[in-house]
């Protein structure tokens, strides 16, 4: 290890550790002053290494969450069933490609809007689910798109709750 440090011009190696796991090593060359590293320098570098460890783990977690989110969005994009979600105020938060086709509306024009911009029967079902806190299954409606085309569809509504039970 000393030979490799010399080859890299490193005078000091500070481990980057989090929860007893070595994530990396911070290598430092000699101080510009030529002085040896002091105890105060080592404490500062140790704090820096600890913060780097937290940043590394946070970056890994962020990448993992982004990957999971991309996977879920890919599933939603490719489902043949229309998926529409609304928040507690009835604003549309998800509107997949199949929902676009069924309603003849673009997600970019619908997302964030009140669900009452959708077909009346569909909006009523969504709002009823929110108001009564109870999903519905297999309800058949005639969906009327913006261009007045009629499409019979089976609708299932459900409440999406967090682990804490909130919507």
């Amino acid at each position: 290890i000393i030979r490799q440090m010399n080859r890299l011009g490193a005078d000091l190696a500070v481990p980057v550790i989090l929860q007893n796991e070595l994530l990396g090593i911070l290598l430092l060359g000699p101080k510009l002053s030529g002085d040896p590293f002091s105890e105060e320098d080592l404490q500062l570098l140790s704090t820096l290494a600890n913060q780097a460890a937290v940043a590394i783990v946070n970056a890994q977690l962020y990448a993992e969450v982004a990957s999971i989110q991309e996977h879920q969005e890919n599933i939603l994009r490719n489902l043949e069933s229309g998926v529409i979600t609304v928040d507690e105020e009835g604003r549309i938060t998800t509107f997949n490609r199949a929902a676009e086709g069924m309603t003849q509306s673009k997600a970019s024009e619908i997302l964030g809007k009140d669900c009452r911009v959708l077909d009346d029967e569909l909006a009523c079902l969504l709002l009823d689910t929110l108001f009564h806190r109870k999903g519905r299954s297999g309800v058949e409606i005639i969906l009327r798109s913006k261009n007045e085309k009629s499409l019979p569809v089976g609708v299932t509504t459900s409440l999406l709750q967090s682990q804490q039970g909130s919507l």
Side-chain angles (χ1 to χ4, degrees):
I1 293 178
I2 293 175
R3 225 177 316 147
Q4 289 175 333
M5 285 180 63
N6 287 336
R7 193 178 47 150
L8 294 170
D11 279 5
L12 182 66
V14 181
V16 178
I17 297 173
L18 188 64
Q19 298 176 346
N20 295 323
E21 182 180 346
L22 179 66
L23 301 178
I25 299 173
L26 184 60
L27 295 175
L28 294 123
K31 289 177 74 169
L32 292 177
S33 65
D35 295 336
F37 288 97
S38 68
E39 186 62 36
E40 188 176 293
D41 291 334
L42 296 177
Q43 288 177 352
L44 179 64
L45 292 168
S46 178
T47 299
L48 177 66
N50 289 338
Q51 290 176 349
V54 171
I56 289 168
V57 169
N58 283 344
Q60 290 170 335
L61 290 173
Y62 178 82
E64 186 178 331
V65 167
S67 175
I68 290 168
Q69 186 175 9
E70 174 60 32
H71 181 72
Q72 289 174 336
E73 288 172 3
N74 190 31
I75 290 170
L76 273 175
R77 241 187 333 270
N78 292 299
L79 274 177
E80 290 186 27
S81 297
V83 177
I84 302 169
T85 62
V86 296
D87 64 14
E88 285 189 69
E89 286 79 38
R91 287 186 307 260
I92 299 167
T93 57
T94 304
F95 199 80
N96 75 346
R97 197 176 295 163
E100 286 182 327
M102 291 176 185
T103 62
Q104 299 297 299
S105 298
K106 295 206 174 290
S108 60
E109 298 168 358
I110 293 289
L111 288 171
K113 295 210 171 124
D114 188 286
C115 67
R116 286 173 269 232
V117 300
L118 300 171
D119 173 83
D120 288 340
E121 274 190 276
L122 179 58
C124 283
L125 282 170
L126 294 170
L127 293 171
D128 185 67
T129 298
L130 283 174
F131 182 75
H132 293 289
R133 299 288 196 245
K134 185 175 181 205
R136 306 272 303 270
S137 182
V139 178
E140 294 197 14
I141 65 170
I142 303 295
L143 190 63
R144 287 174 178 60
S145 63
K146 288 192 309 188
N147 59 10
E148 295 301 318
K149 286 190 178 178
S150 297
L151 177 67
V153 295
V155 178
T156 296
T157 64
S158 59
L159 294 172
L160 302 177
Q161 296 178 319
S162 69
Q163 291 178 342
Q164 294 78 23
S166 63
L167 292 181

